[in-house]
Amino acid sequence: MLIEIRPVARLRGEKAIDITPAVSEMIGALCEDSVDLAKVRLVCDWVQYKHNFRDVVDVRQISPGTSADQLEVAVDLRRAKDVDLRAAAREVLGYADRPDLLPRMPLEHWTAGSQSCIWDFNALYWKALGEWERATGQMYESALPGGESDARNQAAVRDLISDMFRIWDDLSERRSLPEELYVVELGVGNGNQAKAWLDEFVVMDRERGTDYYRRLHYLMCDYSQHVLDIARKNVTDHATKTSSVILDATKPTEALGFLRFKVFLVYISNVYDNLPCDDVAQIGGRHYLVETRAYLNQPDAEAIAKSISVEPAEVPNQISRLLRLGPELLAEASPDNFADTDAAVEFWRQCWQAVRLAERYVPIQGLDLYEVAPGVTGEMLRPQLEAGGDIRIHVTNGAVASFTDTIPLLHPFGRLVCHDLFTTDVMQNRTGFRGPGKYDGSVVNWCNGPLLAHIGSRKGFDVRFAPFAHRKGTNIITMTAQVRD
Ligand SMILES: C[S@@+](CC[C@H](N)C(=O)[O-])C[C@H]1O[C@@H](n2cnc3c(N)ncnc32)[C@H](O)[C@@H]1O
């Protein structure tokens, strides 16, 4: 039996938490003889997200249905003391060979993490944000690291704009600055970031007397019409300089192809960590894709069913209708189950709170056969998967797709600047839990920085990471990509 304890900071120092009772209870449950210990890996995480997709104890089959099958037993040390751990472990271990028989209500078939319906929940959150925020009384920004978007930080914005002005001044001197100056923002949220940027731009442009504002086009892009409408209202002072574009951030050239080689700044904050993501792993020298399946625990499914007057078996169907229609239309279509939109939103919130992800490890037959994103094969993951020892990493598929489809838009002197949660060293996957977690109604997943840097470098881009410079103690990292000198 192999025991892996992720060495998070909380395990060390004067205020270290005592993990001995949890580990001892888990070993006690495992030694009750329901599983073959020779095949077990016990993985102990500290899941820092208060709301997440995991039960305190989970079992994951490795190579299910083959002679090489093994079992991963996962425990969340943060919540271990809140439950009868031995009983929780005993329950899931009892189903180790047949997890399909656990008292759970599946919401989908086994699939790669990026294809899970949790991403439909995520998209619904942004599309129907107004209804959600009305119900919770809480704005989405308060769930972000630091309680507000770092893209609003005035000092950070000034630095960004002055760097860009330097480049424009240079090009202008050489009579090479185009008349039209394009800036693209992907994933605009409430538009606070656009407003902060544009307000500062005007001030700095006036101070310098450069008249760049007259030539500026700021394109606010998002896949949610609702979000774009809010953002648009927020930048009414700059109405003649801004346009709103509906697009999927994972394929920006579909809408913005006309801007190829023209954009001086692509500005992104807190979006990459919100795009669909698979996990892959190397265990015992073999490569695996982590397949997931969203489910509700039976008691949660029963409580939710009761609240909308249906049988528990009907809940998955109601959830898929919610994800297709949104709360307002769902309430209109099913007045017997939902008195009004608020009732449908309440149903949505209950489901989101309860939804969990089961996981299993399925062998990848060849890394070249696994697609990270269009035009990017799993071979790009090899250096990380084979960095030494067992490892599990995020593939960050949505962010990779977005990145590779955005850089063709950049002017040769343009830059992509992204504030987000990134790992910057593959070993960080061993030393902490990197998601997915739940932020209010959306998903958060740390992005694989070394992978983006590796892919960027193959395409002639220099990709750098630096801690966000304007707020102490933050996990936010600023990624900058530009054509290599
Ligand atoms: C966490 S908010 C960040 C908003 C803003 N940039 C900030 O820092 O406050 C994520 C934004 O990305 C948008 N978004 C998420 N996935 C997207 C996708 N696939 N295509 C376009 N926009 C997306 C959401 O609608 C939302 O506006």
Side-chain angles (χ1 to χ4, degrees):
M1 176 165 60
L2 191 141
I3 302 177
E4 181 174 345
I5 300 170
R6 304 259 153 84
V8 293
R10 286 174 188 267
L11 304 193
R12 300 189 295 266
E14 272 178 21
K15 292 191 183 152
I17 48 149
D18 181 9
I19 57 167
T20 329
V23 176
S24 149
E25 282 300 294
M26 289 304 298
I27 293 175
L30 285 162
C31 293
E32 285 177 0
D33 211 17
S34 56
V35 288
D36 177 354
L37 293 185
K39 293 185 167 187
V40 169
R41 296 161 46 83
L42 171 61
V43 176
C44 306
D45 273 308
W46 179 275
V47 179
Q48 75 272 24
Y49 294 104
K50 190 167 158 221
H51 300 291
N52 58 68
F53 298 93
R54 286 178 52 167
D55 279 324
V56 179
V57 186
D58 279 323
V59 286
R60 301 165 187 156
Q61 291 182 305
I62 304 174
S63 293
T66 71
S67 56
D69 71 315
Q70 286 176 283
L71 197 66
E72 182 169 278
V73 180
V75 60
D76 174 11
L77 295 172
R78 186 176 62 82
R79 289 178 292 167
K81 61 180 181 337
D82 303 340
V83 297
D84 179 342
L85 198 57
R86 173 90 61 124
R90 198 179 283 146
E91 186 186 353
V92 288
L93 289 173
Y95 292 93
D97 293 338
R98 342 154 259 166
D100 288 350
L101 298 183
L102 274 161
R104 293 174 173 178
M105 181 76 69
L107 302 182
E108 60 191 355
H109 295 296
W110 286 103
T111 181
S114 61
Q115 305 303 311
S116 168
C117 68
I118 65 166
W119 297 105
D120 299 326
F121 273 102
N122 187 69
L124 178 63
Y125 176 72
W126 296 114
K127 283 184 187 134
L129 184 65
E131 276 112 325
W132 180 286
E133 288 184 340
R134 232 184 343 270
T136 59
Q138 192 176 322
M139 302 293 111
Y140 83 82
E141 242 189 302
S142 58
L144 295 178
E148 65 171 43
S149 172
D150 284 318
R152 285 217 245 162
N153 184 294
Q154 201 187 14
V157 170
R158 275 191 88 85
D159 279 359
L160 189 58
I161 296 174
S162 38
D163 282 352
M164 201 174 63
F165 279 171
R166 251 194 305 279
I167 291 168
W168 288 357
D169 292 347
D170 244 29
L171 288 172
S172 186
E173 251 172 54
R174 289 186 268 145
R175 298 182 182 282
S176 305
L177 188 66
E179 177 58 25
E180 317 280 326
L181 303 172
Y182 288 103
V183 171
V184 166
E185 184 187 342
L186 298 178
V188 295
N190 54 20
N192 279 344
Q193 164 180 350
K195 180 168 166 44
W197 195 92
L198 286 157
D199 286 351
E200 205 54 46
F201 188 102
V202 171
V203 171
M204 292 172 70
D205 189 36
R206 281 203 192 121
E207 280 167 8
R208 308 166 87 248
T210 29
D211 198 29
Y212 290 142
Y213 185 68
R214 185 184 52 77
R215 298 157 71 179
L216 180 72
H217 295 274
Y218 191 103
L219 277 70
M220 301 191 298
C221 308
D222 207 284
Y223 68 174
S224 160
Q225 181 66 56
H226 171 78
V227 156
L228 277 175
D229 290 345
I230 300 175
R232 180 124 210 105
K233 281 198 195 110
N234 212 343
V235 295
T236 41
D237 292 349
H238 306 280
T240 57
K241 296 287 137 204
T242 48
S243 309
S244 319
V245 184
I246 286 270
L247 58 68
D248 182 342
T250 63
K251 30 190 159 174
T253 59
E254 276 190 7
L256 303 179
F258 68 102
L259 289 179
R260 231 168 262 270
F261 302 121
K262 292 200 171 119
V263 180
F264 277 99
L265 173 66
V266 177
Y267 193 27
I268 314 169
S269 117
N270 299 309
V271 180
Y272 276 7
D273 66 358
N274 192 231
L275 296 174
C277 179
D278 290 347
D279 277 17
V280 292
Q282 158 144 300
I283 302 171
R286 294 195 71 178
H287 300 147
Y288 293 91
L289 172 67
V290 181
E291 284 194 342
T292 66
R293 185 167 68 171
Y295 69 90
L296 302 177
N297 281 314
Q298 196 64 29
D300 290 328
E302 282 166 15
I304 291 170
K306 197 167 167 210
S307 73
I308 58 166
S309 315
V310 297
E311 291 299 317
E314 176 56 19
V315 172
N317 183 34
Q318 292 291 347
I319 292 178
S320 86
R321 296 180 76 221
L322 165 76
L323 297 177
R324 267 181 289 125
L325 301 176
E328 194 177 347
L329 281 181
L330 179 67
E332 267 180 38
S334 308
D336 294 345
N337 308 104
F338 306 99
D340 50 26
T341 305
D342 288 354
V345 173
E346 182 52 31
F347 167 67
W348 173 18
R349 292 180 56 207
Q350 281 180 315
C351 295
W352 179 243
Q353 170 77 25
V355 70
R356 301 274 178 278
L357 284 177
E359 295 179 343
R360 66 180 188 184
Y361 294 88
V362 178
I364 296 177
Q365 298 310 340
L367 281 179
D368 55 337
L369 300 178
Y370 169 73
E371 187 180 74
V372 172
V376 182
T377 81
E379 278 299 332
M380 289 287 167
L381 298 161
R382 192 179 291 281
Q384 295 189 28
L385 284 174
E386 298 181 0
D390 293 346
I391 194 150
R392 174 172 164 163
I393 54 177
H394 288 173
V395 183
T396 308
N397 312 64
V400 170
S402 183
F403 176 70
T404 53
D405 199 46
T406 300
I407 50 182
L409 300 177
L410 290 175
H411 181 279
F413 287 94
R415 285 198 300 172
L416 180 152
V417 175
C418 178
H419 305 301
D420 222 314
L421 295 167
F422 291 98
T423 51
T424 51
D425 178 335
V426 66
M427 289 309 150
Q428 285 173 317
N429 294 287
R430 292 231 181 90
T431 57
F433 178 79
R434 309 290 168 190
K438 296 177 189 171
Y439 270 172
D440 220 0
S442 69
V443 183
V444 55
N445 234 327
W446 289 49
C447 300
N448 187 329
L451 177 63
L452 288 160
H454 184 46
I455 293 169
S457 142
R458 289 288 183 97
K459 293 184 180 288
F461 278 75
D462 194 13
V463 180
R464 295 193 181 183
F465 297 93
F468 180 71
H470 304 276
R471 184 158 60 86
K472 279 214 173 78
T474 175
N475 282 326
I476 293 287
I477 299 269
T478 302
M479 171 180 126
T480 310
Q482 57 194 18
V483 175
R484 203 182 295 130
D485 287 338

